[in-house]
Amino acid sequence: MSYSPKKRATKQILLGAAMLSSAALVLTGCSGAGGATGGGSSDEKVTLTLATVNNPQMKDMEELKKNFEDDHPNITVNFIQMEENDLRDAVTKDVATKGGQYDIVTVGSYEVPIWGQNDWLVDMTKLASDDEGYDVDDILPPVREMLTVDDSLYAVPFYGESSFLMYNKDIFAAAGITMPENPTWQQVGEYARQLKTDDVNGICLRGKPGWGELFAPLTTVVQTFGGNWFDEDWNATVDDAKFNEAVTFYTDLVKDAGEADPVSTGFTECLNLFTQGKTAMWYDATSAAGSVESPELSDVAGKVGYVHAPVVETKESGWLWSWNLAIPKTSKNQDAAWEFVSWATSKDYIDLVGNELGWSRVPPGSRTSTYEIPEYQEEAAAFAGITKDIMGSVNPKQPGVNPQPWVGIQYVTIPEFQDLGNSVSQDIADVFAGRDTVDNVLKKGQTLAEKAGEAQK
Amino acid sequence: MTATLAESATPESGTPDLAPKRSRNKQKLVLSTSQRKGLRLSRALLWPALIVSIAVTQVPFLVTIFYSFQKWNLLRPGQREFAWFDNYVTVFTGGEFLSSLLATVVITGTSVVLSVVFGLILAVLLDRKFVGQGLARTLLITPFLMMPAAAALIWKWSMLDANVGMVNWGLSLIGLDAVQWNTNFPALTVIMVLTWQYTPFMMLILLAGLQSQPGEVLEAASVDGAGPVRRFFTMTLPHLRQYIELATLLGGIMLLQVFDPIAIMTRGTGGTKTLSYLLYERAFVGLEIGEAAAYGVITVLLTIIVATVALRLLFKIFSNEGTRS
């Protein structure tokens, strides 16, 4: 959701602002350089600026940064928290125009490879392997793979997620249906239609336009149906029969047994419906489980079952996403920045969160060792095991049936994808409303995808 | 006698500078050297301010024009190049510009008309003495004082939500089916929110107009036998005409840049992708700086055209003010 005051994005404002701010940044950058010369010496005071998304896990990090500052008396860390879209805008602009405003940035797994290739981020490969006790091999392998370009690691994960199917055990028991461990989409569709009543939806699936909203789950559905955005040679395959079949399945399922008003429904809206017991199933991020199992937030805590993402032609279909910490090359305090990054993504930090704030608040999906901590296993018994299983078994190099020329699951790691995904998802909103057909929408999408694919060849 | 009186009276009482101004056209103003020096100094003193204002207002626009000739995706720094009019070609052949222009006209036009109508009704209701008039007026103004993003969120969650929204609950009370507002009627939802927000603004302007209407004229009309309906349509409405024109103009200018309800509720689907939302998408989702700049330049040109027409209308309103009674 983006509701920042960007409404007057007309005419010169955009670039005027960009110019002014970059001019300002050059000035502050200069003064920063003066202050930080000889950054290696330990008694020099260093202030790090960290831009991050305002998720609960990040707020916990800010709460605990005092522990880091106590151990490193010469380093102060300033947090700038933003809503996801704002963060993306602000950090992209700063990094792309070499503004140098931030020493540490929170970057999604979609951006890391693109920015890494553009030489915008500090290569962390050596830093991480030389750092004793950091144990870089403990990072979940698929996540590490996503953040690596040509054997260089450009960011380290703060927390990660995959996707799975959550179902309300009470509703399933009342209907006498048993959910298999590895359901297929056909089964899920059947159950959803069977369980749909006037008060309860069969399933909740995101319908809100946006490449990160609708197309997070929908791309995984397309991939398990055997379709994809591009083939191995960057030829667009959006109007393929498999892509069509998947989108038709998804939109029909939502229309028949899904939530009312799909265009309004994203992650948050589904979370509300599911935790109020108003939907029997929900296919979404594994990180939702923390809220679903919290008795204060949820009416269905303790009554929810978790199974692998539904599949059709592939073995697994979960997505893979992580929020990562990276250091822009423009940072003047790269050594100090690594100190903080390695602290915040270490095993010790996870212990610290567990002991200080409670084990349910531990950032999940970044390290294998997290899932071996007895307290965490106990606290998150309902979903920790399956989350680890899924995150270890998804394959970001080839999530679909056919090989793909990029690494990543619910997105295509090219600059043009934000635009492409956004545009096609807006057209699919017309399908939900009955204003357009899947065939027509995908034909339009194919044209856009061809243009995007052309840029990669 | 009368003629000489009139002649001698004009320069003193009416417009004393009129005579020298007229003569300046015919003969050059003669200045002494010291006067000229003074003039040069005062001009020199103006230069810094002039330069700053040119820099602040014009340089960003020139830079935007420069960017609009560039092929530049923010995420592809290595492939930045001069592209002549490619971006403008994209704007006009991309297929989004005209539909977006249409969406802007439909949403702005409908919202303005509806809020003027509702504003007029509310203004007429408020234009009388009753207990709690001040309170009622304050409450009615509230929607206009709310931040647009907050208003959109209230409508999204409290009013139009498919499960817990008040509108669907109200419909269910009279036996109607729940409506999927954002999915099936995206343009209508945006228009509803905007109308709700801008009705108070229209109401305020029209209320000022109503209160400037002399009461004795209406009284005289009613003594002559005109009923309230007739009084309203033949006397009040013509009196309000210039206020309605002003309200429409200002409302139109403000609503042209609407962004928040679209970003929060419909995300540009189903004919709600207005020019400002389209521009946001090109710049922040597409990261196509050149294309966004080209859209910006075109939007500025359109705005200048619309504003020129609108301003002319506005001046006409004000110049006609004296002649109407």
Side-chain angles (χ1 to χ4, degrees):
Chain A
M1 274 197 303
S2 147
Y3 39 85
S4 48
K6 279 167 221 134
K7 59 179 177 183
R8 288 201 287 129
T10 45
K11 49 187 182 177
Q12 62 269 67
I13 284 163
L14 160 66
L15 287 143
M19 278 204 33
L20 280 177
S21 59
S22 47
L25 291 173
V26 170
L27 294 177
T28 50
C30 292
S31 65
T37 32
S41 67
S42 59
D43 32 274
E44 195 84 43
K45 283 266 180 216
V46 176
T47 303
L48 298 176
T49 310
L50 189 157
T52 185
V53 60
N54 58 355
N55 289 351
Q57 289 87 344
M58 312 301 187
K59 289 183 181 149
D60 290 348
M61 177 170 33
E62 185 170 17
E63 208 178 317
L64 293 171
K65 73 168 184 183
K66 229 181 81 50
N67 288 280
F68 173 82
E69 287 170 345
D70 288 348
D71 290 348
H72 302 78
N74 59 323
I75 305 177
T76 327
V77 188
N78 280 340
F79 273 61
I80 301 177
Q81 300 218 9
M82 284 174 260
E83 200 262 325
E84 181 172 339
N85 286 325
D86 293 335
L87 175 83
R88 199 165 265 136
D89 296 349
V91 172
T92 308
K93 247 182 298 176
D94 183 65
V95 175
T97 57
K98 306 223 180 332
Q101 192 177 2
Y102 309 115
D103 297 301
I104 304 167
V105 289
T106 309
V107 198
S109 49
Y110 162 74
E111 280 102 345
V112 170
I114 300 175
W115 292 12
Q117 272 165 334
N118 283 343
D119 207 23
W120 288 347
L121 300 175
V122 171
D123 182 352
M124 291 182 170
T125 326
K126 216 170 128 43
L127 287 169
S129 57
D130 287 359
D131 199 324
E132 264 175 68
Y134 184 69
D135 197 1
V136 68
D137 295 324
D138 185 39
I139 294 173
L140 283 169
V143 177
R144 198 173 155 192
E145 228 158 63
M146 279 196 304
L147 308 176
T148 304
V149 185
D150 299 333
D151 296 327
S152 296
L153 183 69
Y154 284 106
V156 284
F158 183 66
Y159 77 90
E161 62 176 36
S162 182
S163 57
F164 55 16
L165 184 70
M166 296 162 259
Y167 67 99
N168 188 318
K169 283 183 185 167
D170 286 358
I171 297 176
F172 270 70
I177 305 175
T178 320
M179 175 69 87
E181 261 309 292
N182 289 289
T184 64
W185 271 113
Q186 283 78 15
Q187 283 172 319
V188 169
E190 201 180 297
Y191 301 155
R193 289 180 171 91
Q194 208 174 321
L195 293 170
K196 165 90 179 169
T197 63
D198 284 347
D199 299 325
V200 177
N201 301 312
I203 192 165
C204 195
L205 293 169
R206 299 186 196 178
K208 189 187 268 182
W211 66 274
E213 280 281 7
L214 169 69
F215 264 118
L218 183 51
T219 301
T220 68
V221 176
V222 168
Q223 284 171 333
T224 193
F225 267 76
N228 212 336
W229 288 91
F230 297 97
D231 71 7
E232 215 177 348
D233 305 312
W234 288 112
N235 297 310
T237 52
V238 176
D239 62 353
D240 264 23
K242 302 278 189 187
F243 203 116
N244 193 315
E245 199 186 327
V247 175
T248 309
F249 173 85
Y250 191 95
T251 48
D252 282 352
L253 181 56
V254 170
K255 275 190 253 181
D256 293 349
E259 69 279 0
D261 209 1
V263 174
S264 307
T265 309
F267 174 85
T268 318
E269 291 80 1
C270 276
L271 177 68
N272 284 344
L273 285 172
F274 191 73
T275 52
Q276 289 162 12
K278 284 186 183 163
T279 182
M281 287 178 280
W282 178 27
Y283 171 59
D284 217 304
T286 53
S287 57
S291 309
V292 169
E293 291 298 334
S294 148
E296 298 100 65
L297 301 175
S298 161
D299 299 339
V300 295
K303 300 176 195 162
V304 178
Y306 302 88
V307 292
H308 285 247
V311 290
V312 177
E313 288 184 20
T314 54
K315 266 193 173 154
E316 280 291 341
S317 175
W319 72 55
L320 200 56
W321 179 261
S322 61
W323 279 113
N324 318 284
L325 297 180
I327 307 172
K329 278 227 164 138
T330 45
S331 165
K332 299 283 187 298
N333 306 306
Q334 297 181 2
D335 293 337
W338 169 254
E339 284 293 314
F340 184 79
V341 168
S342 59
W343 171 80
T345 56
S346 66
K347 290 179 195 172
D348 292 343
Y349 176 80
I350 287 167
D351 280 337
L352 183 70
V353 177
N355 290 321
E356 297 260 321
L357 305 173
W359 289 97
S360 60
R361 281 160 77 172
V362 160
S366 58
R367 286 178 166 272
T368 318
S369 57
T370 309
Y371 294 92
E372 284 152 14
I373 302 169
E375 292 95 331
Y376 183 63
Q377 282 176 341
E378 194 181 321
E379 186 79 27
F383 56 90
I386 185 166
T387 304
K388 188 201 165 201
D389 274 3
I390 298 174
M391 291 207 61
S393 55
V394 291
N395 178 4
K397 286 189 168 160
Q398 189 189 327
V401 173
N402 300 310
Q404 65 182 28
W406 70 93
V407 180
I409 300 189
Q410 87 268 34
Y411 48 79
V412 185
T413 322
I414 55 172
E416 291 81 5
F417 180 70
Q418 295 195 54
D419 205 11
L420 173 64
N422 187 53
S423 185
V424 180
S425 70
Q426 283 176 346
D427 288 340
I428 290 179
D430 287 338
V431 176
F432 283 127
R435 288 187 292 261
D436 212 340
T437 62
V438 174
D439 288 350
N440 216 352
V441 163
L442 295 185
K443 210 180 286 166
K444 268 194 269 175
Q446 172 74 9
T447 320
L448 290 174
E450 274 166 8
K451 226 185 280 169
E454 212 53 52
Q456 319 308 318
K457 286 177 187 171
Chain B
M1 171 87 179
T2 43
T4 46
L5 245 180
E7 262 175 45
S8 62
T10 14
E12 282 162 28
S13 64
T15 46
D17 348 357
L18 209 63
K21 216 188 246 171
R22 245 181 232 153
S23 66
R24 199 167 58 192
N25 288 340
K26 284 168 194 161
Q27 72 185 70
K28 228 177 169 189
L29 212 61
V30 184
L31 293 172
S32 68
T33 337
S34 65
Q35 272 176 318
R36 229 171 248 184
K37 242 183 207 162
L39 198 63
R40 209 174 294 150
L41 179 69
S42 43
R43 274 186 193 151
L45 287 174
L46 272 179
W47 269 112
L50 194 63
I51 289 169
V52 167
S53 51
I54 288 173
V56 169
T57 59
Q58 298 312 305
V59 170
F61 185 58
L62 291 179
V63 172
T64 308
I65 292 177
F66 167 72
Y67 280 134
S68 72
F69 291 118
Q70 298 255 311
K71 181 184 167 218
W72 183 20
N73 184 311
L74 211 51
L75 287 181
R76 293 189 176 279
Q79 296 177 15
R80 196 174 153 181
E81 61 190 32
F82 198 73
W84 289 106
F85 288 92
D86 282 9
N87 290 320
Y88 291 93
V89 173
T90 316
V91 168
F92 287 110
T93 57
E96 289 199 292
F97 182 69
L98 284 180
S99 63
S100 169
L101 195 63
L102 181 72
T104 313
V105 170
V106 167
I107 288 181
T108 311
T110 321
S111 312
V112 167
V113 170
L114 286 178
S115 33
V116 166
V117 170
F118 289 126
L120 181 61
I121 295 171
L122 289 177
V124 169
L125 289 177
L126 270 185
D127 185 35
R128 59 194 65 204
K129 287 261 173 289
F130 59 90
V131 182
Q133 187 191 19
L135 182 70
R137 194 171 48 208
T138 312
L139 287 179
L140 281 171
I141 294 167
T142 319
F144 185 63
L145 302 178
M146 202 174 279
M147 279 187 298
L153 282 172
I154 289 177
W155 275 85
K156 176 183 157 62
W157 287 105
S158 311
M159 304 296 288
L160 299 180
D161 188 86
N163 301 292
V164 293
M166 287 195 259
V167 173
N168 277 352
W169 176 74
L171 290 179
S172 73
L173 288 186
I174 51 170
L176 291 175
D177 280 344
V179 175
Q180 306 188 17
W181 289 100
N182 283 338
T183 303
N184 289 337
F185 305 106
L188 186 63
T189 49
V190 174
I191 290 171
M192 274 160 68
V193 176
L194 292 178
T195 306
W196 176 78
Q197 242 202 325
Y198 282 85
T199 297
F201 173 73
M202 308 298 183
M203 181 193 80
L204 280 182
I205 295 181
L206 297 179
L207 189 58
L210 281 177
Q211 290 179 345
S212 75
Q213 194 178 20
E216 49 277 25
V217 181
L218 290 175
E219 220 169 278
S222 71
V223 169
D224 285 345
V229 176
R230 180 127 182 247
R231 276 206 308 271
F232 179 76
F233 281 104
T234 56
M235 305 189 67
T236 309
L237 215 50
H239 168 78
L240 280 182
R241 203 189 115 177
Q242 66 213 37
Y243 293 90
I244 292 176
E245 282 171 350
L246 181 67
T248 311
L249 191 71
L250 293 179
I253 290 169
M254 286 194 283
L255 280 170
L256 267 180
Q257 31 182 312
V258 56
F259 178 83
D260 307 62
I262 297 163
I264 289 171
M265 300 173 71
T266 66
R267 304 204 149 212
T269 60
T272 60
K273 200 184 275 185
T274 58
L275 278 177
S276 51
Y277 192 77
L278 177 67
L279 212 130
Y280 156 77
E281 271 193 0
R282 299 317 311 139
F284 292 98
V285 180
L287 299 173
E288 292 285 353
I289 302 300
E291 224 181 290
Y295 271 110
V297 171
I298 301 282
T299 313
V300 169
L301 289 181
L302 274 178
T303 316
I304 290 175
I305 295 170
V306 172
T308 315
V309 175
L311 280 180
R312 215 163 268 172
L313 186 73
L314 191 69
F315 284 133
K316 215 169 83 193
I317 295 171
F318 285 129
S319 58
N320 284 355
E321 198 170 25
T323 62
R324 275 185 211 149
S325 52

